[in-house]
Amino acid sequence: MVINSKSLLAAAALMPLSALPLPVQAWNFEGHVIVAEIAYQNLTPVARDKVDALTAKAVNALPKKTQHIIGSYKDVSAFAQLAVVPDMIRKQPAQSVWQQMGEAMPPSLNRWDEKKTNQWHYINAVYPTNSQCNFVRKPNIQLATQALYADFNGHPQAASLMFIAHLTGDAHQPLHTVATSLSKYWCKSDLGGNKYTLKGPKKNLHHLWDDGLGLLDDKQQVLELVTALQQEYPKATLTLGQPGDVARWIEESEQLAPLVYSVKQNAQPTQTYIQQGQAVVEKRLALAGYRLADGLNHALGTK
């Protein structure tokens, strides 16, 4: 499947809730909307009703400017729109996110000294695996997302739903799971490809994969991709595993590192690399959407 890319959402419009600068994100906004909309379309009726109620609670608690930004994604569910918000609030104290929605932050998320959510989005396991470097820190996406799913199963909350929708997508983006050293002589992390520079329109490897190697550049084609990906990768043809099995998702993403890093630093990606990467992105987006739906159906669908 080939989708022509045209434009990105203007960076100046992406204002975080805390008025702090927006950091580099995992998948771009389009990618997160696609994952969450695929999930929404695969919810059971019972789960969908509960997701709608929690989503409304979350959206109503957001500042008007944030509501306006996420509302610019037309013809998708409010749940899909909500999935982009965690990238806008990485510097906001985590507890305040739950408080803003009239909720209490799960104790399992409150055990780390770092109370902001920026570290929840990645883990940076070292590539290649025989390297002596260790870039993994706590908290990280595996610990945070596992804690969110575990708490949500018994205690569904609007803020938790928002983060689950987002971080499930992040766990399927390879460069939110691995990092390599930029030096042969000491451990110098490329920060998940953010410092792995390239030639071409995308100036680093992370940015290239965030944009799906061009697949996710066009905001207007989100709904088209939601439909096309489900047609190309029907749920019954994929191995989803157990609901909320974050470790499995991250392991799969790590296994893609040889392809991801097969482009040399400071080189321009070849058309072959772009095509191979887009095929990977398509499947990862579909898997993330179906797995998000499975996790929510498991927690909400039969109660």
Side-chain angles (χ1 to χ4, degrees):
M1 177 175 62
V2 177
I3 303 292
N4 293 325
S5 57
K6 297 177 182 178
S7 63
L8 293 172
L9 188 63
L14 306 182
M15 296 297 293
L17 305 188
S18 57
L20 292 170
L22 182 68
V24 174
Q25 57 205 37
W27 299 129
N28 60 15
F29 277 21
E30 287 72 23
H32 282 293
V33 171
I34 288 167
V35 167
E37 183 61 20
I38 290 174
Y40 189 77
Q41 293 182 10
N42 285 273
L43 294 174
T44 67
V46 172
R48 182 176 293 187
D49 286 346
K50 294 180 180 179
V51 164
D52 285 343
L54 290 170
T55 298
K57 180 180 180 181
V59 172
N60 289 337
L62 298 174
K64 295 298 183 184
K65 178 175 285 188
T66 305
Q67 293 179 10
H68 176 73
I69 292 170
I70 67 176
S72 66
Y73 287 90
K74 305 298 184 182
D75 302 319
V76 297
S77 63
F79 172 67
Q81 296 170 346
L82 182 67
V84 308
V85 174
D87 265 336
M88 305 169 72
I89 57 172
R90 290 188 181 203
K91 298 294 185 181
Q92 183 171 332
Q95 288 186 350
S96 71
V97 179
W98 271 262
Q99 291 171 353
Q100 185 176 348
M101 297 181 186
E103 299 171 339
M105 183 175 169
S108 56
L109 293 172
N110 202 28
R111 66 183 187 270
W112 299 297
D113 291 337
E114 174 59 72
K115 295 302 191 298
K116 297 177 182 178
T117 64
N118 55 316
Q119 288 183 240
W120 296 8
H121 296 250
Y122 61 89
I123 187 168
N124 287 354
V126 68
Y127 174 78
T129 55
N130 61 359
S131 170
Q132 298 302 306
C133 298
N134 181 7
F135 302 133
V136 175
R137 299 291 182 267
K138 293 181 181 179
N140 56 55
I141 188 173
Q142 182 166 332
L143 294 174
T145 310
Q146 285 175 336
L148 281 161
Y149 269 104
D151 184 79
F152 193 81
N153 280 330
H155 188 209
Q157 295 193 93
S160 299
L161 177 70
M162 180 179 73
F163 278 104
I164 285 171
H166 185 93
L167 297 179
T168 297
D170 283 357
H172 288 77
Q173 208 276 49
L175 283 169
H176 271 248
T177 66
V178 294
T180 195
S181 178
L182 296 174
S183 172
K184 295 180 180 179
Y185 307 106
W186 63 88
C187 293
K188 182 181 180 183
S189 175
D190 75 341
L191 303 180
N194 279 298
K195 292 187 175 296
Y196 196 98
T197 51
L198 299 174
K199 292 182 180 178
K202 311 303 179 187
K203 299 304 181 183
N204 65 64
L205 193 61
H206 191 106
H207 190 189
L208 181 68
W209 280 81
D210 273 354
D211 287 345
L213 298 92
L215 188 70
L216 306 176
D217 276 350
D218 193 345
K219 179 180 179 180
Q220 305 306 318
Q221 293 181 330
V222 163
L223 203 56
E224 179 181 342
L225 272 169
V226 167
T227 300
L229 291 176
Q230 292 181 88
Q231 291 174 345
E232 187 172 0
Y233 298 98
K235 184 177 180 179
T237 67
L238 300 176
T239 302
L240 303 186
Q242 296 298 312
D245 189 357
V246 184
R248 175 181 181 147
W249 311 340
I250 290 173
E251 182 179 359
E252 290 173 352
S253 291
E254 290 174 357
Q255 290 172 354
L256 294 167
L259 168 63
V260 173
Y261 282 106
S262 64
V263 59
K264 293 183 178 180
Q265 191 176 11
N266 298 317
Q268 183 160 348
T270 65
Q271 190 59 36
T272 298
Y273 178 88
I274 295 296
Q275 291 173 348
Q276 290 175 336
Q278 285 187 349
V280 166
V281 167
E282 290 174 0
K283 186 173 183 180
R284 297 303 283 166
L285 291 172
L287 273 168
Y290 294 141
R291 286 167 168 169
L292 175 56
D294 265 12
L296 296 178
N297 286 334
H298 177 73
L300 304 172
T302 59
K303 296 180 181 179

